[in-house]
Amino acid sequence: RSWTPSDLRKKSYDDLHKLWYVLYKERNLLLTEREKLRRFRKQVPVTDENRYRNVKRSMANIKFVLTERTAIEKLMDENNNNDENNDENNNEELMKSSRYTAVEDA
């Protein structure tokens, strides 16, 4: 069975990185065997074809999860920057209003 996005979301970045290379090796092994069979004009077994499909699907799901994480991090950074800008604007407005009240009191 291939790794699903929900399974992969639970993994750390390092675990995903390790899993990617394990799948990469598996994919290359399957492609090498497929090429050997093609050279000898033999049929690729269905089990190998299914394994290859599962490996490709798992690799695509890893990319999907990492893309999701990047998008979430980008949104969080944008929100933090907006919050900081809002805080600065609010502080400036408070300073201006306190100056005006101080001037009005004098």
Side-chain angles (χ1 to χ4, degrees):
R1 118 174 158 55
S2 61
W3 287 85
T4 62
S6 60
D7 292 336
L8 295 170
R9 285 185 189 107
K10 299 171 190 170
K11 301 285 184 190
S12 70
Y13 178 81
D14 289 336
D15 288 343
L16 290 176
H17 192 258
K18 290 173 189 173
L19 180 58
W20 175 267
Y21 279 101
V22 168
L23 292 169
Y24 191 76
K25 284 181 182 179
E26 179 73 12
R27 189 191 85 177
N28 284 344
L29 176 89
L30 291 169
L31 288 174
T32 301
E33 287 182 20
R34 181 187 285 181
E35 183 61 23
K36 285 180 188 176
L37 291 171
R38 188 190 67 78
R39 284 184 186 167
F40 293 116
R41 299 176 195 267
K42 292 185 179 179
Q43 184 79 18
V44 176
V46 175
T47 55
D48 283 358
E49 197 60 40
N50 289 337
R51 277 176 55 200
Y52 179 73
R53 191 175 304 121
N54 287 336
V55 167
K56 293 263 301 181
R57 192 175 298 138
S58 295
M59 291 176 82
N61 287 338
I62 289 173
K63 280 186 177 183
F64 176 75
V65 168
L66 290 175
T67 303
E68 270 184 339
R69 286 184 185 180
T70 303
I72 290 169
E73 286 175 8
K74 185 177 178 182
L75 284 173
M76 289 176 67
D77 285 344
E78 287 174 3
N79 284 340
N80 287 339
N81 289 338
N82 288 339
D83 289 345
E84 289 172 7
N85 289 339
N86 288 339
D87 288 344
E88 289 174 11
N89 290 339
N90 289 340
N91 288 341
E92 287 176 12
E93 288 176 19
L94 285 173
M95 292 298 286
K96 286 178 185 177
S97 66
S98 65
R99 282 188 208 142
Y100 290 125
T101 56
V103 170
E104 290 173 1
D105 290 339

